Amino acid sequence: RLLSDYPKWRGKVVLVQVAVPSRERLRMYTRLRREVGELVSEINGEWGTPEWSPVIYLRRNLPRAELTALYAAADVALITALRDGLNLVAKEYVACKPNGDGVLILSEFAGAAAEMGEAIMINPYDEERTAAAIDRALLLSPAQRRDRMSALYRRVEANNVFAWSNRFIRNLQGAMKARTDRFAEGKALDYESIVNAFSKSNSRLLMLDYDGTLVPFANLPQNAQPDLETIETLIRLAKDTRTRVAIVSGRPRADLELWFGHVPQLWLAAEHGAIIRSPTSREWEQPHHGRFDWKNRVYPVLDHFVERTPGSFIEEKEFSLVWHYRMSDPEFGEWLANELVANLEQMLAETHLRAIKGQKTVEVKPVWANKGDVFTRLKDRRSEPDFILAVGDDVTDEELFEQLPDDAWTIHVGVNHSRARYRLDGPADTHNLMKRLAQVTSRQTNVGTSVANAILPGSVNPAKARRDSQRATEI
């Protein structure tokens, strides 16, 4: 393509193609060897002259000294990998150019492309632009060649194996320190202190997240159902007239209604507070009203990431859209989640929507749907409580923690950064705390534990619960 589109280089450029034999006994490699040989013969036969061959094809191992001499003599190195990991040939070429008298043309699919930005990047599938890149490289002035190659040389020289290994150890140490710092951000919860404060209070408000707080995460949202003991504990807590208990979750109302709808005196806040159900009226209240045509614009973006990420899927709620990637490759999923959030932030900049990266999820929801407003609305129902407890594990719970007074018991579940005062390791610890608080209310109100079986007998049947949840969602 270069010789065809740029006749000025005929008779003036030579491609030295070094092909080191590898796996010669495999049929695929034999076929590849034959194909490359035929291409070389075809190009030389069509464009060559008695004095000049466009391609010099060396199909053998070259001694390091000879290979180094080729690197040093070459005006341009052409690295056109279609798929590649860490390409050392590009770095070897740069290492042989201390005087800055060469040009590196590098495939954007090569692993080295991420750190060799001064190279001329190409898409090797695009023949025309690749030929144009070679033409451009050959026409660069000596000063331009030196500027590019000197920067590459300094980087290759600095990032040798010793620098890489030292950086690797530092990253490990930094990760260890970050983990230690995250644990140090919130104090470990003193159970005796919180139980004592709870028992002495006269007006209590408990706000509990669901996934990752009351129950462990599941690969599929419908599989993270509460067990009978959890429901029983909530019943015992909510039965005390001095205690208001609210499930403040990102779950849709159908799930909360199915699992907790029959629990007396329990407040339910679905989709991060977008709608709230009072235990007295049992009607769902929607404080804000807005249009939902935005889903038609956002859904194709999420769907594109589903196609790119095996194991991911979209959950559509009344007020939001959620991309789940818990079943995807962990590192790949995190990388794409960050990319998705960046794309959505730019797309939603001038709207009432925002994209939130949660626990293996990216959720697009209205700004007004936040857990901090739930506290304000619950607080206004009665006088100021003298015991406030909020427990959550997600970034959305930080909005709630921020709204609470300084003396509130704010607890983060897990090891992520949080503004909560205390921390718990997991849902099992949350359940243990709730049981201890429920024991206090049982002593004070003589509420037994047998009432749970009469409230939600269907909760122990996961298959029926899933069917009912799906039916409620469809309605």
Side-chain angles (χ1 to χ4, degrees), residues 364-398:
V364 180
K365 68 181 185 68
V367 175
W368 46 260
N370 76 82
K371 296 183 179 182
D373 288 348
V374 176
F375 167 68
T376 304
R377 293 164 67 186
L378 290 178
K379 182 183 65 173
D380 292 340
R381 306 278 177 167
R382 293 187 187 179
S383 59
E384 187 78 27
D386 54 9
F387 180 92
I388 299 174
L389 170 66
V391 189
D393 75 299
D394 200 55
V395 64
T396 57
D397 296 297
E398 299 301 313

Side-chain angles (χ1 to χ4, degrees), residues 423-443:
R423 61 172 174 81
L424 291 173
D425 290 338
D429 299 300
T430 307
H431 187 60
N432 183 38
L433 172 62
M434 294 301 108
K435 285 177 63 176
R436 297 188 66 169
L437 298 182
Q439 290 171 359
V440 174
T441 59
S442 296
R443 289 195 301 267

Side-chain angles (χ1 to χ4, degrees), residues 271-297:
E271 299 200 35
H272 311 291
I275 44 177
I276 294 181
R277 199 204 75 164
S278 163
T280 53
S281 67
R282 295 187 177 273
E283 296 291 332
W284 288 92
E285 303 173 13
Q286 182 179 334
H288 299 273
H289 298 274
R291 298 171 57 185
F292 297 96
D293 53 356
W294 59 267
K295 289 185 178 181
N296 297 329
R297 293 187 297 111

Side-chain angles (χ1 to χ4, degrees), residues 60-80:
R60 57 186 171 85
N61 281 299
L62 295 183
R64 179 169 294 271
E66 195 171 329
L67 184 61
T68 302
L70 274 176
Y71 286 147
D75 298 293
V76 176
L78 190 60
I79 313 295
T80 57

Side-chain angles (χ1 to χ4, degrees), residues 240-388:
D240 190 341
T241 56
R242 292 171 294 180
T243 306
R244 276 169 293 160
V245 183
I247 303 296
V248 186
S249 171
R251 287 277 183 164
R253 75 167 96 182
D255 288 352
L256 298 185
E257 189 78 56
L258 174 67
W259 297 328
F260 304 108
H262 296 83
V263 178
Q265 306 306 317
L266 185 66
W267 289 83
L268 300 177
E271 299 200 35
H272 311 291
I275 44 177
I276 294 181
R277 199 204 75 164
S278 163
T280 53
S281 67
R282 295 187 177 273
E283 296 291 332
W284 288 92
E285 303 173 13
Q286 182 179 334
H288 299 273
H289 298 274
R291 298 171 57 185
F292 297 96
D293 53 356
W294 59 267
K295 289 185 178 181
N296 297 329
R297 293 187 297 111
V298 174
Y299 199 100
V301 178
L302 301 185
D303 194 43
H304 172 66
F305 277 78
V306 169
E307 293 175 358
R308 295 174 61 187
T309 317
S312 69
F313 61 93
I314 301 171
E315 178 188 11
E316 182 171 358
K317 305 178 187 178
E318 291 181 69
F319 301 90
S320 63
L321 290 173
V322 189
W323 180 63
H324 293 262
Y325 60 97
R326 186 170 299 278
M327 295 186 291
S328 307
D329 177 79
E331 291 187 9
F332 185 59
E334 286 296 320
W335 178 65
L336 282 181
N338 292 328
E339 181 183 336
L340 175 58
V341 171
N343 291 342
L344 289 172
E345 284 179 346
Q346 184 176 6
M347 175 181 175
L348 306 174
E350 303 298 327
T351 69
H352 69 292
L353 305 166
R354 61 173 174 168
I356 297 177
K357 185 171 177 287
Q359 301 282 12
K360 302 295 181 182
T361 63
V362 174
E363 183 166 9
V364 180
K365 68 181 185 68
V367 175
W368 46 260
N370 76 82
K371 296 183 179 182
D373 288 348
V374 176
F375 167 68
T376 304
R377 293 164 67 186
L378 290 178
K379 182 183 65 173
D380 292 340
R381 306 278 177 167
R382 293 187 187 179
S383 59
E384 187 78 27
D386 54 9
F387 180 92
I388 299 174

